[in-house]
Amino acid sequence: MIPWLIRSTLLLTAFYAFFMLFMRRTTLFRLNRIILLAGTAVCMLLPLLRFNAEGAAAMLGLPSPAEVLPLPRIVIPEALAAGSPEEGGTAVSGGFDWRTLLLWVYAAGCAAALTFTGLSLLRILRVVRENPGFRYKGRKVHTPGTTLPSFSFLNHIVISRSDYERHPEILLHEYMHTRLRHSADILLMSLVCALYWFNPLVWIMLSELRMLHEYETDEAVLKHGIDATQYQLLLVRKAVGDRRFLIANSFNHCKLKNRITMMHKLKTSKWAALAWLACLPLLTLILSSSSDVDTPVTPFDSSTPAVTEPTSPAADQQEVIRYVDVDVKPKFNGGDMNEFVKWCAGQLKYPEEAKNAKISGRVTVQFIVGPDGSLSDIHIIRGIDELNGEALRVISLSPAWTPGYENGKPVPVTINFPIYFQLPDE
């Protein structure tokens, strides 16, 4: 879950930042609204897809993502994701389960955001129930006698009795909100905010979506023949109001200056909508750079010969089992895979040739832990010419492991182990 959350957060942040920088001040209100909602869904779903990162960039005619956009690669290696057998498949570090702590913190934030939304819904329901109202163009209009700010939610319009009698433009405004189904947008975006409560840009986009609703509604109201000057004066008079119904579309919306400015602004050319296409390569690069999917390849063929040990006889006679599938995981120095990570970190030396050429990246080594604990069939399944030799050297130096067990018997276990080479300035 954590890798998906991180990747989708990166995509959403880039997508929303693109909107804020390039599309926010255009008058393409409906188009921007649709793309914001659809783009949010796409950014949440894309990290769930498995695809060839380099291939996706090549299809768009782009260089390798690692060369153009060196964002951190979010990877949970197969071995680390499985953890030790005693922990039931959950990796631990130093006896402290930080993943559980993160999960509880994240769940608490989600619960707080949902509670915030729920309270606003309860306030709306209370007003609707206390004021039965009447039908108006397929909508239910509620006219409380108190000085309540006008707002709409789904097919319900709440407008004070005095505003209903004196200002028909307010009723038209709220009716257009219901007709354009703005409440559904707010509900969906509120759920997104609950999932990504830790990302301030998501909350900003909820506010921006509300503003798009107001721009779109103001435009629709003026098209119905309402005098623009009188309408703007009414907005000014109603600018200060109660904001208890945050999930509803309220006539007394904040950022009044922006709304009036948009009414006077020249219409943006429809060709400006093509600017959204520029966002696609950006999202592709970010998703590629944060992908943990390795494309199956044959053993790496490079100028550095692969250090391949002969497969043990036991491994020839027994079926090799993946690390994630074996009942009892192999152990290194009596510990879990984290112990092997620490050992490798102490043995690795950055190749001078790669350092001088500023070459960095990931090398994935595959090896088998035999029934006797020895390592065999060590080879590169994905790598970089200048870094492969050092990765193979370190894995080949590994002392014997405690073998893995299946049905109470020691068995050969295959492990895919990624090694990251990073320069100091990265």
Side-chain angles (χ1 to χ4, degrees):
M1 179 179 179
I2 293 177
W4 166 78
L5 200 60
I6 294 175
R7 295 184 196 112
S8 57
T9 298
L10 288 173
L11 290 172
L12 287 172
T13 300
F15 179 62
Y16 292 157
F18 183 89
F19 168 80
M20 296 292 288
L21 289 173
F22 301 106
M23 305 302 295
R24 184 184 180 216
R25 300 198 178 277
T26 64
T27 61
L28 305 171
F29 308 134
R30 179 164 298 186
L31 177 67
N32 286 345
R33 170 195 166 198
I34 293 173
I35 292 183
L36 275 180
L37 293 171
T40 297
V42 169
C43 289
M44 294 173 65
L45 294 175
L46 270 181
L48 300 177
L49 303 179
R50 300 176 66 85
F51 72 107
N52 185 335
E54 282 74 13
M59 287 178 62
L60 293 174
L62 300 171
S64 170
E67 299 173 358
V68 179
L69 195 64
L71 292 176
R73 299 179 68 85
I74 313 302
V75 177
I76 296 183
E78 177 186 27
L80 297 181
S84 61
E86 295 80 6
E87 296 299 327
T90 302
V92 295
S93 178
F96 180 73
D97 195 350
W98 58 270
R99 291 178 179 83
T100 300
L101 176 61
L102 284 179
L103 181 61
W104 278 106
V105 171
Y106 174 72
C110 292
L114 290 174
T115 301
F116 184 76
T117 300
L119 290 175
S120 182
L121 278 172
L122 288 176
R123 294 190 186 103
I124 294 172
L125 291 175
R126 186 175 61 184
V127 171
V128 169
R129 288 177 180 176
E130 291 176 353
N131 302 274
F134 57 91
R135 305 296 295 183
Y136 171 80
K137 294 184 179 180
R139 300 332 186 244
K140 195 66 175 293
V141 179
H142 308 268
T143 57
T146 57
T147 56
L148 200 65
S150 301
F151 65 89
S152 61
F153 182 72
L154 298 178
N155 285 331
H156 295 271
I157 298 174
V158 176
I159 179 173
S160 66
R161 198 164 301 160
S162 61
D163 283 343
Y164 174 74
E165 295 171 352
R166 298 171 52 194
H167 303 294
E169 353 22 346
I170 297 180
L171 179 61
L172 177 60
H173 178 96
E174 300 304 339
Y175 169 75
M176 295 308 302
H177 272 304
T178 62
R179 184 176 177 181
L180 295 169
R181 295 181 175 84
H182 289 162
S183 297
D185 297 0
I186 298 299
L187 284 173
L188 290 174
M189 199 64 190
S190 296
L191 292 177
V192 174
C193 287
L195 287 174
Y196 300 92
W197 56 266
F198 51 86
N199 187 350
L201 198 55
V202 174
W203 293 96
I204 293 174
M205 288 313 301
L206 175 59
S207 175
E208 289 298 322
L209 182 61
R210 290 180 180 276
M211 286 305 302
L212 282 176
H213 289 168
E214 297 304 325
Y215 296 154
E216 190 177 16
T217 303
D218 290 339
E219 184 180 53
V221 168
L222 295 180
K223 286 182 178 179
H224 277 71
I226 301 297
D227 181 74
T229 302
Q230 294 301 320
Y231 182 70
Q232 292 162 10
L233 289 175
L234 179 61
L235 286 177
V236 173
R237 289 199 298 268
K238 294 290 183 179
V240 180
D242 193 349
R243 294 289 294 156
R244 292 178 295 167
F245 311 102
L246 294 178
I247 202 171
N249 299 104
S250 175
F251 184 79
N252 301 349
H253 199 278
C254 59
K255 299 184 180 179
L256 178 60
K257 180 182 177 181
N258 291 350
R259 290 175 62 182
I260 295 177
T261 300
M262 280 296 182
M263 292 183 204
H264 291 283
K265 192 170 184 178
L266 293 175
K267 297 300 179 182
T268 304
S269 170
K270 293 183 179 180
W271 289 102
L274 296 178
W276 277 114
L277 297 178
C279 193
L280 296 178
L282 176 64
L283 295 181
T284 301
L285 288 174
I286 291 175
L287 183 63
S288 301
S289 298
S290 62
S291 175
D292 66 339
V293 180
D294 284 329
T295 305
V297 295
T298 56
F300 203 89
D301 183 17
S302 67
S303 56
T304 305
V307 180
T308 304
E309 298 183 8
T311 306
S312 64
D316 287 336
Q317 298 172 2
Q318 293 178 270
E319 179 183 358
V320 180
I321 302 176
R322 295 192 312 162
Y323 184 91
V324 293
D325 297 331
V326 69
D327 288 344
V328 179
K329 316 295 183 191
K331 292 185 179 181
F332 179 79
N333 287 344
D336 59 13
M337 189 58 67
N338 290 327
E339 289 297 320
F340 189 55
V341 172
K342 295 176 185 177
W343 181 85
C344 287
Q347 302 293 324
L348 278 172
K349 297 179 181 179
Y350 213 110
E352 287 297 328
E353 178 185 357
K355 187 186 299 183
N356 295 334
K358 295 185 177 181
I359 297 174
S360 61
R362 176 176 63 179
V363 176
T364 302
V365 184
Q366 186 178 83
F367 57 90
I368 294 176
V369 178
D372 59 353
S374 63
L375 269 60
S376 62
D377 195 20
I378 305 172
H379 63 276
I380 300 292
I381 62 173
R382 180 173 182 160
I384 301 172
D385 289 359
E386 293 80 1
L387 303 174
N388 293 338
E390 178 62 14
L392 291 169
R393 182 190 71 82
V394 171
I395 300 298
S396 301
L397 293 176
S398 170
W401 293 45
T402 301
Y405 285 81
E406 184 78 14
N407 297 326
K409 298 180 180 180
V411 293
V413 178
T414 182
I415 294 176
N416 294 343
F417 190 76
I419 298 178
Y420 296 84
F421 291 84
Q422 288 186 321
L423 296 169
D425 59 347
E426 293 183 320

